[in-house]
Amino acid sequence: MTVYLDHAATTPMTPAARAAYLEALDTVGNPSSIHGPGQAARELLEQGRDRVAAAAGADPVEVVLTGGGTEAVNLAIKGLFWARKAASGGAAVRILATRAEHHATLDAIEWLAAQQRAQPEWIPVDELGRIRLDALEFALSTDPGSVALVTTLWANNEVGTIQPVRDVVGLAHAFGVPVHVDAIAALGQLPIDTAALGAEAVSLSAHKIGGPVGVGALVLARSATVEPLLHGGAQQRGRSGTMDVAGAHAFGVAAENAARDLAAHAAHLASLRDRLIAGLRRIPAASLRGDPDPAGRLPGNVHATFHGCEGDSLLYLLDAAGFAVSTGSACQAGIPEPSHVLLAMGLSEAGARGALRFTLGAATTEDEIDALLAALPAAVEQARAAGLSAGR
């Protein structure tokens, strides 16, 4: 039986969310219809929206339900950019972000640069993967009227480093610039209070917290304006399209339970994380990446590089041994590529290629961590013998 340690990619649906999903699938009716079945569907959908809002510290009217986290990120970045550019008479074209963002952010920005004449400005991160606030402040202070938005992760999805999001929002707002925060990796592991944060947009996803795949949300502040990605009905503020009743209902249940159980869940994950990190420190080839301070990283994230190893080789060897993990890097056309996050943190291409990300979930046990640590030395030895693909 496989030991699943890739919960940051997706985690199993919780029994409660699955039951809610199946229940809602039996509800026939378009939630925008005014007849009885439509209103019954609307009630389920709004219950889901209310629960997501409560879990995120938001007003339900601020929750725009989407077809996943990627759509939420794209709506935030493109929508804020278009709205801000139009309101400024075309002057606001700069987008401030780091190169350590998720590809949903990076690819959206690069598309805007190629197609909409956006001007990305890449803010450096430190060796732990944390945004450099001094560099951000300098970029903001240089003609702030030309900045369309700042976008940042709440916590890095690869190396787990928690970002100083309140400081980012405070700096941007001091210069009158809106902020998008990608909280997809943080939801369910860290307290999320969007009202206290004050960002214009915060993106969320259901399947990272035990909800269904293909459901997400953008918490869009009442004061914020976005140009929609989708047109054709205006069913929600900033988004057209028939809303997913079953997905929203299940997302709401998963979010409510995640918020209720947050302290216990985070403590469980942190204990296992620290056990795994302690074991990795006994492997000479392993180097922990991200913040070594437990308070500065996600409780369910352990990221390490293994000197002289190809990350994909380690992944395949561990998969064959019954462990599902991630490299945390892109692989296109069968050609391993170094993690863009690690490169942004200053690692060499060779050093960045030997990366593995272990992400833990509610069902992860101490025995599974110990079994992984027992299997790792042999896998590392085999991977080191194979060498880096670039050197062959």
Side-chain angles (χ1 to χ4, degrees), residues 205-272:
S205 181
H207 75 108
K208 310 294 188 176
I209 59 167
V213 173
V215 185
L218 182 67
V219 178
L220 187 62
R222 287 174 178 268
S223 60
T225 301
V226 294
E227 180 65 29
L229 297 177
L230 306 174
H231 300 85
Q235 286 89 343
Q236 299 182 89
R237 185 167 64 105
R239 187 184 190 270
S240 294
T242 301
M243 292 171 283
D244 180 356
V245 174
H249 187 48
F251 187 9
V253 169
E256 182 177 73
N257 291 345
R260 182 196 64 208
D261 301 334
L262 178 63
H265 180 59
H268 167 71
L269 295 181
S271 174
L272 296 172

Side-chain angles (χ1 to χ4, degrees), residues 199-337:
E200 280 68 23
V202 178
S203 50
L204 309 171
S205 181
H207 75 108
K208 310 294 188 176
I209 59 167
V213 173
V215 185
L218 182 67
V219 178
L220 187 62
R222 287 174 178 268
S223 60
T225 301
V226 294
E227 180 65 29
L229 297 177
L230 306 174
H231 300 85
Q235 286 89 343
Q236 299 182 89
R237 185 167 64 105
R239 187 184 190 270
S240 294
T242 301
M243 292 171 283
D244 180 356
V245 174
H249 187 48
F251 187 9
V253 169
E256 182 177 73
N257 291 345
R260 182 196 64 208
D261 301 334
L262 178 63
H265 180 59
H268 167 71
L269 295 181
S271 174
L272 296 172
R273 175 201 64 192
D274 296 345
R275 188 183 188 92
L276 177 51
I277 289 174
L280 287 175
R281 294 190 190 282
R282 296 193 291 269
I283 300 175
S287 296
L288 181 70
R289 301 300 175 187
D291 196 333
D293 181 352
R297 73 182 305 133
L298 289 172
N301 174 288
V302 177
H303 189 286
T305 55
F306 295 83
H307 179 70
C309 297
E310 183 72 62
D312 283 349
S313 297
L314 280 170
L315 186 151
Y316 297 140
L317 288 164
L318 288 173
D319 190 36
F323 300 91
V325 301
S326 169
T327 60
S329 62
C331 183
Q332 298 177 351
I335 301 172
E337 295 181 355

Side-chain angles (χ1 to χ4, degrees), residues 339-352:
S339 162
H340 68 280
V341 174
L342 295 180
L343 294 179
M345 290 164 56
L347 273 72
S348 68
E349 288 202 11

